[in-house]
Amino acid sequence: MDSIRITGGVPLSGTIAISGAKNAALPLMTCGLLTDERLVLSNVAKLADLATMAELLTQHGIAAEPEGRTLSLGGRITNTEAPYDIVRKMRASILVLGPLLARVGEARVSLPGGCAIGTRPVDLHLKGLEAMGAKIKLDSGYVDASAPQGLKGATIVFPFVSVGATENLLMAASLADGVTTLKNAAREPEISDLVHCLIAMGAKIEGIGTDTLVIEGVKTLHGAEHPILPDRIETGTYACAAAITGGDLLLQNARMEDLGAVLHSLTDAGVVITEEQNGFRVTRANGLHGVDVMTEPFPGFPTDMQAQFMALMAVADGASMITETIFENRFMHVPELNRMGARINVHGSSAIIRGVKKLSGAQVMATDLRASFSLVLAGLAAEGETTISRVYHLDRGYEAVEQKLAACGARIERVN
Ligand code: EPZ
């Protein structure tokens, strides 16, 4: 199993090109199930999770052919079962449920189990599809869904915001009979990207960027070409890398408007962000100060930036409190950061971080995707050598980490 070895203490300097967003690409790829025509996605990152989604789509009958940064999806649905062996690797597999049901009136999708960051049920996806007329049974760990007469438009009010449920129902509603209204829908930039792609495929959707999406179902969707938006979480992560090392990074392709509350939290912490022609530059004027954050749906502070921001706060002046409101078990990086000399205590859903002057290199273990990068950040700032094991977590969602960081001066290598 691969590890990453970092010798810390180098201020990063240079340009990092931000890749296409993983969490936009996953639902966009499942749009390939919504049409017989070709869907061509560009700005596709090379990531393990996207390879898993390609594998899933292929066994449904939709070939996913990569060519450089482009992915061409096409074919006919030949199989409506998403097997446990693929779903257990990646929970986003549940996103095939809405498209399969809407398109061919049946789907059998393995229930994703819990995961390292929380129990993560999918009840909102299922209730929403039921409200649209689907019959759903749970059988031997699978969701058995059918809609022999097709799905019908409905008004669905989400009790709380869910990115995945909003995406599944958006795709299903695009081919349903009548109008569907999604209230309290997620407003993440990845949702807007999905809406843009669906519209390019012929869907009729209003309310883009708001929490109320109105979808007028159409009989068929056609092929389209769609460029995937830059990854806002990768952007925020590398902004933290510039800040924690006291470096100067130009984040190419990065979009400030997609950062939401991360922009303000970084600025409050003393990070300087300057807009440039095709992205922005991140530097640090003086020291870092402790800032409190609470994770929330977009445009609030994203849970997917919580671990990385905590690494930054671990070396800031003063104390900060980070409250996690989205997932119940997303502090697994805390004991690992503490092994590197951080002073972090967890009380329920909040972590109190007392900044230290220096972290020190150690052997640590990655527990999930974003937690892994918080350890990379800590390693970049620490004195001495840090070895991070279980880096397969990192490969699921960050493209070419060592190459991007090494090009900016980091002493980082992958070891087997
Ligand atoms: C998406 O997961 C992202 N994944 C996650 O990114 C991200 O952390 C999360 O949204 C929140 O922003 C993808 O986009 C592929 P949710 P998703 O449904 O859609 C609860 C990363 O690191 N819930 O918005 O699964 C759920 O348990 C990953 O890239 C229900 O209770 O998240 C959570 O507490 C990790 N019932 C909250 O809602 C449901 O039916 C928000 O989850 C659905 C969700």
Side-chain angles (χ1 to χ4, degrees), residues 67-344:
E67 202 189 310
R69 308 235 134 228
T70 298
L71 188 67
S72 174
L73 300 151
R76 272 174 198 277
I77 297 170
T78 50
N79 168 24
T80 53
E81 179 166 322
Y84 177 65
D85 265 358
I86 300 184
V87 179
R88 75 183 167 83
K89 280 200 252 171
M90 189 186 64
R91 303 177 48 84
S93 305
I94 192 73
L95 293 174
V96 300
L97 180 60
L100 282 173
L101 252 188
R103 191 72 199 300
V104 291
E106 58 168 54
R108 184 172 157 82
V109 178
S110 172
L111 266 177
C115 88
I117 61 176
T119 50
R120 304 185 71 184
V122 292
D123 53 321
L124 299 185
H125 302 236
L126 305 188
K127 282 187 191 136
L129 291 167
E130 278 177 332
M132 296 175 73
K135 299 271 172 287
I136 292 185
K137 278 190 309 186
L138 298 184
D139 167 43
S140 313
Y142 276 75
V143 177
D144 254 331
S146 65
Q149 315 316 329
L151 293 172
K152 307 261 175 299
T155 295
I156 294 155
V157 185
F158 293 110
F160 50 87
V161 174
S162 162
V163 173
T166 303
E167 291 166 344
N168 234 336
L169 296 180
L170 252 174
M171 293 188 279
S174 296
L175 284 179
D177 180 19
V179 175
T180 300
T181 305
L182 302 179
K183 294 191 175 171
N184 199 22
R187 288 185 288 159
E188 271 64 6
E190 294 78 19
I191 303 276
S192 301
D193 208 35
L194 174 62
V195 172
H196 283 305
C197 179
L198 288 168
I199 290 175
M201 294 172 74
K204 293 188 179 159
I205 306 174
E206 284 182 9
I208 187 161
T210 75
D211 65 358
T212 303
L213 295 166
V214 181
I215 307 109
E216 189 188 330
V218 294
K219 290 249 174 307
T220 53
L221 292 170
H222 50 73
E225 291 183 11
H226 178 80
I228 298 178
L229 89 172
D231 196 315
R232 67 192 165 99
I233 304 299
E234 192 195 23
T235 302
T237 302
Y238 285 118
C240 288
I244 203 167
T245 62
D248 179 339
L249 290 181
L250 175 63
L251 303 183
Q252 215 173 43
N253 314 326
R255 301 202 321 194
M256 237 191 235
E257 66 271 25
D258 289 346
L259 284 185
V262 173
L263 185 62
H264 309 291
S265 302
L266 285 171
T267 311
D268 289 351
V271 180
V272 180
I273 300 188
T274 334
E275 192 140 25
E276 300 225 350
Q277 208 167 19
N278 181 24
F280 55 80
R281 182 172 295 281
V282 186
T283 53
R284 197 176 86 188
N286 299 299
L288 293 164
H289 346 283
V291 171
D292 295 348
V293 305
M294 184 185 283
T295 62
E296 286 173 329
F298 190 81
F301 193 96
T303 174
D304 291 349
M305 276 300 302
Q306 180 258 105
Q308 304 89 308
F309 197 76
M310 192 179 293
L312 194 62
M313 292 297 94
V315 293
D317 273 346
S320 60
M321 181 163 85
I322 298 188
T323 305
E324 172 60 58
T325 72
I326 309 290
F327 293 111
E328 67 274 19
N329 191 28
R330 215 175 190 181
F331 283 142
M332 305 259 280
H333 41 286
V334 168
E336 301 301 306
L337 290 172
N338 283 348
R339 296 192 63 249
M340 298 180 69
R343 288 181 62 209
I344 309 172

